């Protein structure tokens, strides 16, 4: 870092970008503290050049937030992404997918911190932006709808959970090469929602489908098959 400061004019965007690249190199080498130093140096340069409301400032804050997120520094990451989002909101020319990604990670952080209502709000905002370019962002939309379904199920909002799980299932079935484990897990979620909504027939259908999919991938000698068989047997006895 000292070499760069000595050899280059440190107050240029080119130098800031170099610090960002060095930060990425440290991330790949699993040296988060060194990465943080380089990225903060880049942020300092960008702030001096453009101020706190420039889109580039928001982009660097989002990179720093991502590092903090993966280092499990959730409070710092939340602050980074919140500031980044405030900047992105001032720039209608910003790439929608970048803003959607920020909303999604804010949703992840809120979920980890047990702020479920905030998590739902951020996930929904992320989906709305991703859906502007649906085909390109299909995997992200699937993952968020899947996660939303599980959050809403735990919150007792069974109909909304069912709808999100159903939409995620349709995406996975159509676009994700029919991954049997992903489909099986969603069928389980749909079954749980149906049970909570007092529709035991639909619950049985979903659980049997989940069982078939697990067998397709794991065979019959697996714990999921056994667990589902118990649930199915209990429902069929009613």
């Amino acid at each position: 870092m000292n070499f760069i400061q000595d050899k280059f004019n440190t107050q240029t965007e080119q130098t800031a970008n170099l610090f960002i690249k060095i930060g990425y190199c440290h991330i790949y080498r699993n040296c988060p503290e060194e990465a943080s130093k380089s990225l903060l140096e880049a942020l300092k340069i960008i702030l001096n050049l453009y101020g706190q409301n420039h889109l580039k400032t928001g982009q660097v804050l989002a990179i720093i937030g991502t590092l903090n997120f993966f280092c499990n520094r959730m409070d710092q990451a939340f602050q980074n992404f919140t500031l980044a989002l405030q900047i992105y909101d001032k720039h209608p020319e910003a790439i929608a997918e970048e803003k959607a990604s920020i909303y999604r990670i804010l949703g992840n952080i809120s979920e980890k911190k047990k702020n479920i209502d905030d998590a739902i709000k951020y996930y929904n905002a992320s989906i709305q932006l991703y859906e502007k370019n649906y085909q390109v962002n299909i995997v992200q939309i699937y993952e968020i709808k899947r996660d939303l379904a599980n959050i809403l199920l735990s919150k007792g909002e069974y109909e909304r959970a069912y709808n999100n799980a159903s939409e995620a299932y349709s995406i996975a079935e159509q676009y994700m090469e029919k991954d049997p484990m992903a489909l099986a897990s969603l069928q389980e979620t749909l079954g749980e929602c149906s049970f909570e909504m007092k529709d035991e027939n639909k619950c049985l259908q979903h659980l049997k489908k989940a069982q078939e999919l697990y067998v397709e991938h794991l065979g019959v000698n697996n714990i999921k098959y056994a667990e589902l068989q118990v649930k199915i047997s209990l429902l069929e006895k009613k």
Side-chain angles (χ1 to χ4, degrees), residues 138-178:
I138 197 67
V139 173
Q140 288 86 348
I141 294 168
Y142 153 76
E143 290 174 348
I144 298 170
K145 286 186 177 291
R146 175 201 63 196
D147 294 345
L148 259 177
N150 290 324
I151 291 173
L152 291 164
L153 177 60
S154 69
K155 199 169 181 282
E157 296 189 34
Y158 304 121
E159 187 172 351
R160 288 178 66 195
Y162 186 94
N163 290 339
N164 276 280
S166 182
E167 289 169 12
Y169 187 89
S170 296
I171 293 170
E173 191 173 42
Q174 186 173 356
Y175 294 100
M176 299 180 64
E177 299 181 356
K178 297 190 176 179

Side-chain angles (χ1 to χ4, degrees), residues 7 23 33 66 70 83 88 90 111 170 180 195 198 203 215:
K7 296 294 182 182
E33 297 311 318
T66 302
F70 285 110
L83 289 171
Y88 270 76
K90 296 173 182 175
E111 185 178 356
S170 296
F195 181 80
K198 314 300 182 187
C203 175
V215 168

Side-chain angles (χ1 to χ4, degrees), residues 9-236:
N9 175 2
T10 56
Q11 296 304 304
T12 67
E13 186 172 335
Q14 182 181 12
T15 308
N17 288 335
L18 185 56
F19 276 118
I20 291 170
K21 288 177 182 177
I22 292 170
Y24 279 130
C25 289
H26 285 309
I27 291 169
Y28 296 141
R29 291 176 59 241
N30 197 26
C31 300
E33 297 311 318
E34 291 302 315
S36 184
K37 288 177 186 176
S38 293
L39 294 173
L40 287 171
E41 192 66 33
L43 179 62
K44 181 172 146 186
I45 294 168
I46 294 299
L47 282 168
N48 285 335
L49 285 172
Y50 303 128
Q52 63 183 8
N53 292 319
H54 195 276
L55 183 56
K56 184 74 174 181
T57 304
Q59 291 168 335
V60 178
L61 280 167
I63 296 169
I64 294 169
T66 302
L67 174 63
N68 283 324
F69 177 78
F70 285 110
C71 291
N72 204 34
R73 298 191 285 250
M74 293 300 160
D75 289 339
Q76 289 172 262
F78 190 87
Q79 183 180 33
N80 296 144
F81 281 113
T82 300
L83 289 171
L85 186 61
Q86 289 171 2
I87 295 168
Y88 270 76
D89 283 341
K90 296 173 182 175
H91 293 275
E93 77 279 9
I95 298 170
E97 284 84 350
E98 290 182 7
K99 192 172 176 182
S101 179
I102 292 172
Y103 274 123
R104 182 180 180 184
I105 298 180
L106 284 169
N108 287 336
I109 296 170
S110 298
E111 185 178 356
K112 288 177 184 293
K113 292 170 68 113
K114 308 300 181 185
N115 297 329
I116 301 305
D117 289 338
D118 285 344
I120 293 168
K121 176 186 71 177
Y122 288 128
Y123 282 144
N124 280 325
S126 181
I127 287 172
Q128 287 174 13
L129 287 169
Y130 276 132
E131 285 181 338
K132 289 183 177 180
N133 198 352
Y134 187 83
Q135 295 288 342
V136 172
N137 300 310
I138 197 67
V139 173
Q140 288 86 348
I141 294 168
Y142 153 76
E143 290 174 348
I144 298 170
K145 286 186 177 291
R146 175 201 63 196
D147 294 345
L148 259 177
N150 290 324
I151 291 173
L152 291 164
L153 177 60
S154 69
K155 199 169 181 282
E157 296 189 34
Y158 304 121
E159 187 172 351
R160 288 178 66 195
Y162 186 94
N163 290 339
N164 276 280
S166 182
E167 289 169 12
Y169 187 89
S170 296
I171 293 170
E173 191 173 42
Q174 186 173 356
Y175 294 100
M176 299 180 64
E177 299 181 356
K178 297 190 176 179
D179 177 354
M181 294 296 287
L183 295 173
S185 177
L186 284 165
Q187 285 289 350
E188 273 197 273
T189 302
L190 289 165
E192 288 181 54
C193 294
S194 299
F195 181 80
E196 297 295 345
M197 291 190 291
K198 314 300 182 187
D199 191 336
E200 293 182 357
N201 288 332
K202 188 178 280 188
C203 175
L204 261 176
Q205 292 171 17
H206 288 304
L207 295 183
K208 286 180 177 179
K209 183 61 179 176
Q211 191 179 51
E212 288 174 17
L213 289 162
Y214 280 126
V215 168
E216 180 183 332
H217 188 69
L218 301 172
V220 294
N221 296 318
N222 69 83
I223 190 65
K224 278 293 183 183
Y225 178 89
E227 286 176 0
L228 287 168
Q229 189 56 52
V230 170
K231 292 178 182 178
I232 289 167
S233 298
L234 289 171
L235 284 168
E236 287 181 332

